[in-house]
Each structure stands twice: as C-alpha cells, then as structure tokens.
Amino acid sequence: MNRRNLLGTLAAVTTTGIAMTMSGKSKAAAAQSSAGVAANVSRTGPRNLITDVAGLQVGQSHDADSQTGVTVILPDKAAVAACDVRGGGPATRETDALSPENLVQEVDGVVFSGGSVFGMAAADGIAAWMGARGRGFSMGAAPGVPPSPILPTACLYDLANGGNKGWGEEPPYRQLGVEALEAASADFALGTAGAGYGANSGGLKGGLGSASVITEDGITVGALVAVNSLGSAIAPGGKSFWAAPVELNAEFGGLGTAGLVAGPEDYGRAMQPRANTTLACIATDVALTRVEAQRIAIMAQDGLARALRPAHAPFDGDVVFALSTAQQEASQDMPRSVLVTRLGALAADTLARAIARAIYEATALPGSEVPAWRDL
Amino acid sequence: MNRRNLLGTLAAVTTTGIAMTMSGKSKAAAAQSSAGVAANVSRTGPRNLITDVAGLQVGQSHDADSQTGVTVILPDKAAVAACDVRGGGPATRETDALSPENLVQEVDGVVFSGGSVFGMAAADGIAAWMGARGRGFSMGAAPGVPPSPILPTACLYDLANGGNKGWGEEPPYRQLGVEALEAASADFALGTAGAGYGANSGGLKGGLGSASVITEDGITVGALVAVNSLGSAIAPGGKSFWAAPVELNAEFGGLGTAGLVAGPEDYGRAMQPRANTTLACIATDVALTRVEAQRIAIMAQDGLARALRPAHAPFDGDVVFALSTAQQEASQDMPRSVLVTRLGALAADTLARAIARAIYEATALPGSEVPAWRDL
C-alpha cells in the first residue's frame, strides 16, 4: 500500500479544505521505499502492455526486406483522443481533426508507421478496410456511402536506416497498414517490431515499446511508443536507462540509477541527426473529455523528456496521442483537475518505461552496423 | 576535453555526408566518464548564474511582511525572445506580443513575480520607469511620447503560502517591480529571494535558482527559475535531486543519483495543489532568430520535466522564456538546426540544474510550517 500518493494528498484537500495534508512517512510507505522495485510487483498490468487498458487491441506488421513497419492501436469502439506535437520535424495526418473545437470527438484508431511521408499511406489501407466494413464517423448512414474512419497517423524517419527502400512508385505502407490491422490482438511484439522495426535511437537500435500500470483504486494507464530518437535512452559511458528511476519489476534490466551521470554536451553514443522522431500513445480506461485528454498528452511528453536526452529537437517529430476507452467512470469524489493530474503523471512515468523497454527489447537488423542495447 | 559531443557528431555529418560519425569511446571521453563530476569543473560560468551570459543583469526585490517578491531579467539592449507556456494555470502578460508573426521582435526585460494575478503589476512599475527614461519599443521618437517597453511577465501563486496578503486595493507589486529594476546587477541572491521569496515546491520551501554553462567552443547558456511547483525536485524517501545526473561541481550538494527511485504515484512529500507554477528563463549570448529561440524554449521545458515530478500539471502555470543577447555569432560551419539542437539541449540541462539550486539554496520563512530542503 502506498499512502504517500497524489490521490491521498489531493483527495484530502477536497474534504478538509486544507492544502497540506500528508503526514510524514507512513510505515507502509517507508517499507515500500526501502524495498524499492520489489514492492511494486503488483502494479503493472498483467501483460505490461498498453492493451492492459480494457477496450484496446494493437496490430503490427513489417517488411523485412524494406526494414520498416506499421503499428495500429485499435479501440473496440471509437475513443476520445487528443494529440500533442512537440518535435521539430513531425510527419502527421488527421491531427487537426482532433482540435477540441472541431467536429469529431473520437477516433477509430491511431496509426504509427516508418517510412516518413510515405508511411502515411498506412492509414489509407486501414481507412478503406474499415470503410468497407461500415466502421467510422458518419452524420447518418446512407446506402452505398461508407463512413469516414478517423485515423490520426504519425510517421518516423527510417528511410536511411538500411533495408531496401527502392520501391519507386509502390511504397509498401498501404499494404502494411492492412496487415497490421488484421493482426490486431491483445498481445504484440516489442523491440524490432511494427513501426519500430527499422527505427534507431541515439546510436542504438530503436524499436517498439509498451508498458502499463494499475493504481490502487483500479485505474489502468498504458503506453505504446516507437522510438527513433535523436537522443539516447541510456546515459553516457554505460548501459543505464534514463527511465531507471521509475522501472518496475526489472522490466528493462534492473540496472538501477547509479550510472545516470552526464556532463555538458556528453550525449554518449553517436547520434544520427536526420529526421528522427519518437511516436507515442498513452491510454486509460477512465472516461475523459477531449480537453482533459489534451492535458494528459501534454504531461505525458515529460516521460519522453525523462527517458531520452536530448528530446524534442528540431530533428525529432515527437508526437504524443492520448486515448480514453471510457470503460469506467472516475470516482466523483475526485475533482477532475486531480484526476487529470494523476493520469498525466502516470502517463509520463509509463511512457518513460515504455521507451526504455523498446530499446531493451530491440534486436539488431541483419546487415546493420547499428548495435542493439543487448549487444553492448 | 569531451569529444563525444553533439557538436562533433553533427559537424562531422555536415562535412562528410555520413550520418554515423562518432567512433567508439575516446580515451578522453572514457576518462571524463570515470571521473564524473570532477572532470566538469571548468564548465560552469564564473558566477554559475544566468548573468554569465554577456549582456544580462538581474534585479530582485521582496516584501518580508507579505512574503512575496519580484525578479526582473534585464538585457543591456533589447533582446530577441520567445515564450513557451505548458502549465495548466498560467498567469502571463505580454506573451502574445512574442508570437513570431507579430510586430515586436525583441524585449526590454522579462519579469517574474509572486502574487498571482496581482503580480502582473510589477511590470507596470518597470514599464513606467523605463518609459520615463526613453527605453522601449517605438516606431520613431516623438516629443513627449514615451516608447513602449516590452516586458513579458509571468507570475506564480504564493498568495496562500503565508505572509500578510491583506493589502486590499494596494498590492505591493508595482513598487516591488521598480525596486527590483533599481537593484539590477550581475550578482543576485538564490533561494528565498525575488520571485521565489514566497514560493513552495512539492511540500518544501521553493525559491529562486540559476545556473550557467560554457561550452568548449565558447557558447554560454544560462537559466533562471522561480520554483513554486506542485511536483517535487527530490525523489521520494530521501533528499536526492531529480537533476542530479547533470549536476556540476556539487552545486546542489553532490548527493548523486543512487537515491533516484519512485514507485507509481509515489511523489514523496505532501504536495500543495493550489495554483502552483514554475517560471523559467533561459538565455544565450549567441545571436538567434525569434523562431530559433522558440524551439530552444520548447526543448528547455524538458529540463523542467527532468527536475520536477510531476510537472506541467493543471495546477502549474509553467512558462519558459528564451532570450538571445546576440553578443556573438555562431560559427557558420555549424548548420542552424545543429546550433538550435545544441542550445536547446544545453538549456534543458542548465534549467534542471537551476531548479535544483533553487530548492538547495532556499531557507524557510519565519513562522512557516513548510521546511526547507536544508532542514530535512
């Protein structure tokens, strides 16, 4: 039990009207602190994947010859979504539709792809597939008129990372989108997979990561990320992950935090300053408005900042989406601003963990000179 | 000497056209890594303050009875500036003027104040003082017409932190603004000072922090921050600063990174979820366009994310300004995107250090139940 949490702090504010409410270390909290990671065994979801959030599936595909791939996050029914773009080189599609003043409130999926601008075709394939099956946004059904599937999409730049990109006028992404969709499941691969198949990160093999957390009061938050960052997920001079302070159950090696030291302009391994990009999606089962989801996406970017150094550079196209599957209503005893603070803070930590897991799970591609973390 | 830096990596890209350029660990880099902090002794500016950036002064004032204060950052001549607002509860003035499509390119000062919405009057006093002396923006001098000093301003919420706020219709901020301006100097106090005088941070006394760094090629980056955050600058269960990985010269105690562990929703000490807010300004002596300064402000927010957990909550009004005093031109051998990446990454680390220094230097206010870090 962890009584030193934000819920306790803030809920007490509400009922007492006093801002400072937390007592000193409770015995339970002190025990947890000294036990460290071990005390948190029960806090991830059963899969430690974004699909621990009820109402979500994930599908992935890749082209081993082209060394690229696609990941799609699929809510069982249209889900409230927000988007926060903070990198300097984004490649996105259908993100303007998510502005809160616009018509559409919910999305049918979120699509991540390699292939830079060519990758946006992944959503073409998925949109056609869904439209043919009557799934999507519509102001009213009409015979022979497909609905419009809302599929916000973001792409990372893996064009120059190796593999055969000589596809001329026939890039593979439309087909990869359909294949990813048809593979949708609660289980999916991490590391060299999906949109992270061809990704690199701070001079190492990048990849696809995911993680989840379940709170004491039963809220689930999950994250999925394709890491192709300019910045590094590990501190210079070793293998320690920047995300180590929030690691659970040695999910990315349990190396601890002692190695987290970096001098000015010491970013460790060689960085590859082309168009880079980290693509992230966080999700929760709690019902949210679209504007609440926006603040959570903003706070989640801090997980990217904590797990990668540097982040949000001109070369990155960093994007965070936030989804609510609305499988449960939050307690009405909790002010909405407190709920959003909790979810945003959880999302940041969970995204940081997902980033480290992406690098930890990645394997080097055949013929590539870029090593995987596990090869260091 | 640190050869594993971004400059080396990216400059080599330019000249060779090859993305991966860094060799393995150089002997010098390995030596630096093993020496840790000690190897970086020479890398801060002489004052380790934002005023190490040539062409800047800082003035501060406070009202001990009201337990609040003002800090003003003053360029010797009007300076290019950008602003990035990411908190959920900002209190700002003259930030719209900084949008790149607008008329004004440069500012005469950046003003930080306690007092929430009342604090914005600090800029009234400074504007009148400057206008009376002919300093400010004008489309052409005219007899008897003062110029318009451009003074972007942001305030933090210290109203309920203690002290006598019963000022009725006469809040002290206009006068505090003038007093801060008249105290401008290259040297200024940290901790319980200026806009951070009445600040709290994550259940501890907050305050005013600053730090600087000088690169091997002679670029100076500095940061100043008033920390009144919801989130904590230290990890739960101890005194370790989240910014420890980038600490230089034991500038905030040299406690290291081993204590940086936090379970889900374990945020340590009690947090005070009123309107909070961290106000930051980063500066460099390198000439920048206003749009370049914008990307650097965005990247600098990552320093806030790394030094405080959580950050950017609905209760925070987090703002980062970026200033260029244009005392030197960057090498033309360096692509501008590389320059911006370097400066943004340096700004993030320097801001993280400044945040930790604010808490480290703070002293508890008389009569307050909120302890200072040094009292733990």
Side-chain angles (χ1 to χ4, degrees), chain A residues 10 86 273 295 305-306 349, chain B residues 10 86 273 295 305-306 309:
Chain A
L10 301 186
R86 287 287 278 182
R295 172 57 50 190
R306 293 175 187 136
D349 285 353
Chain B
L10 301 186
R86 287 286 278 181
R295 172 57 51 189
R306 293 176 188 137
R309 175 174 176 274

Side-chain angles (χ1 to χ4, degrees), chain B residues 287-357:
Chain B
L288 297 171
T289 68
R290 193 160 56 170
V291 169
E292 289 169 339
Q294 190 71 36
R295 172 57 51 189
I296 293 165
I298 289 170
M299 291 183 71
Q301 292 274 15
D302 289 349
L304 208 153
R306 293 176 188 137
L308 296 167
R309 175 174 176 274
H312 302 121
F315 303 98
D316 290 304
D318 301 339
V319 183
V320 174
F321 293 89
L323 289 179
S324 160
T325 62
Q327 302 277 316
Q328 64 168 314
E329 296 292 331
S331 164
Q332 295 196 358
D333 295 337
M334 201 186 321
R336 296 300 288 190
S337 55
V338 172
L339 173 67
V340 168
T341 299
R342 288 184 67 200
L343 292 174
L346 285 163
D349 284 353
T350 310
L351 176 52
R353 293 164 48 212
I355 289 169
R357 292 191 81 198

Side-chain angles (χ1 to χ4, degrees), chain A residues 5-6 10 84 86 245 257 260 262 265 267 271 273 295 299 302 305-306 308-309 312 314-315 341-342 345 349, chain B residues 5-6 9-10 84 86 245 257 260 262 265 267 271 273 295 302 305-306 308-309 312 314 341-342 345 349:
Chain A
N5 64 29
L6 191 59
L10 301 186
D84 183 53
R86 287 287 278 182
T257 61
L260 299 183
E265 299 213 293
Y267 301 104
M271 291 189 277
R295 172 57 50 190
M299 291 183 71
D302 290 349
R306 293 175 187 136
L308 297 167
R309 175 174 176 272
H312 302 120
F315 303 98
T341 299
R342 289 184 67 201
D349 285 353
Chain B
N5 63 29
L6 191 59
T9 310
L10 301 186
D84 184 53
R86 287 286 278 181
T257 61
L260 300 182
E265 300 213 291
Y267 301 104
M271 291 188 278
R295 172 57 51 189
D302 289 349
R306 293 176 188 137
L308 296 167
R309 175 174 176 274
H312 302 121
T341 299
R342 288 184 67 200
D349 284 353

Side-chain angles (χ1 to χ4, degrees), chain A residues 2 4-7 9-10 13 17-23 25 29 32-33 36-37 40 43 84-89 203 213 215-217 230 236-238 242 244-248 257-274 295 297-299 301-316 337-338 340-343 345-346 349 353 370, chain B residues 2 4-7 9-10 13 17-23 25 29 32-33 36-37 40 43 84-89 203 213 215-217 230 236-238 242 244-248 257-274 295 297-299 301-316 337-338 340-343 345-346 349 353 370:
Chain A
N2 172 13
R4 300 166 71 202
N5 64 29
L6 191 59
L7 172 64
T9 310
L10 301 186
V13 172
I18 298 169
M20 292 292 296
T21 59
M22 293 302 299
S23 57
K25 293 182 193 181
Q32 189 199 38
S33 287
V37 169
N40 292 310
R43 304 299 291 267
D84 183 53
V85 179
R86 287 287 278 182
V213 67
T215 66
E216 288 180 84
D217 55 336
L230 174 73
W242 285 117
V246 292
E247 182 173 11
L248 298 179
T257 61
L260 299 183
V261 178
E265 299 213 293
D266 185 3
Y267 301 104
R269 301 182 63 80
M271 291 189 277
Q272 189 170 11
R274 295 185 185 250
R295 172 57 50 190
I298 289 171
M299 291 183 71
Q301 291 275 14
D302 290 349
L304 208 153
R306 293 175 187 136
L308 297 167
R309 175 174 176 272
H312 302 120
F315 303 98
D316 290 305
S337 56
V338 172
V340 168
T341 299
R342 289 184 67 201
L343 292 173
L346 286 163
D349 285 353
R353 293 164 48 213
V370 179
Chain B
N2 172 12
R4 301 166 71 203
N5 63 29
L6 191 59
L7 172 65
T9 310
L10 301 186
V13 173
I18 296 169
M20 290 293 295
T21 59
M22 293 302 299
S23 58
K25 294 182 194 181
Q32 190 201 37
S33 287
V37 170
N40 292 310
R43 304 298 291 270
D84 184 53
V85 179
R86 287 286 278 181
V213 66
T215 66
E216 288 179 82
D217 55 336
L230 174 73
W242 286 116
V246 293
E247 181 174 11
L248 298 179
T257 61
L260 300 182
V261 178
E265 300 213 291
D266 185 4
Y267 301 104
R269 300 182 63 80
M271 291 188 278
Q272 190 171 11
R274 294 185 186 250
R295 172 57 51 189
I298 289 170
M299 291 183 71
Q301 292 274 15
D302 289 349
L304 208 153
R306 293 176 188 137
L308 296 167
R309 175 174 176 274
H312 302 121
F315 303 98
D316 290 304
S337 55
V338 172
V340 168
T341 299
R342 288 184 67 200
L343 292 174
L346 285 163
D349 284 353
R353 293 164 48 212
V370 179

Side-chain angles (χ1 to χ4, degrees), chain A residues 81-129:
Chain A
C83 173
D84 183 53
V85 179
R86 287 287 278 182
T92 58
R93 163 179 169 155
E94 281 271 65
T95 49
D96 287 332
L98 297 184
S99 291
E101 71 277 17
N102 290 342
L103 175 67
V104 173
Q105 296 288 320
E106 294 166 333
V107 304
D108 297 291
V110 172
V111 183
F112 292 160
S113 180
S116 183
V117 297
F118 306 108
M120 284 184 271
D124 291 344
I126 297 170
W129 190 101

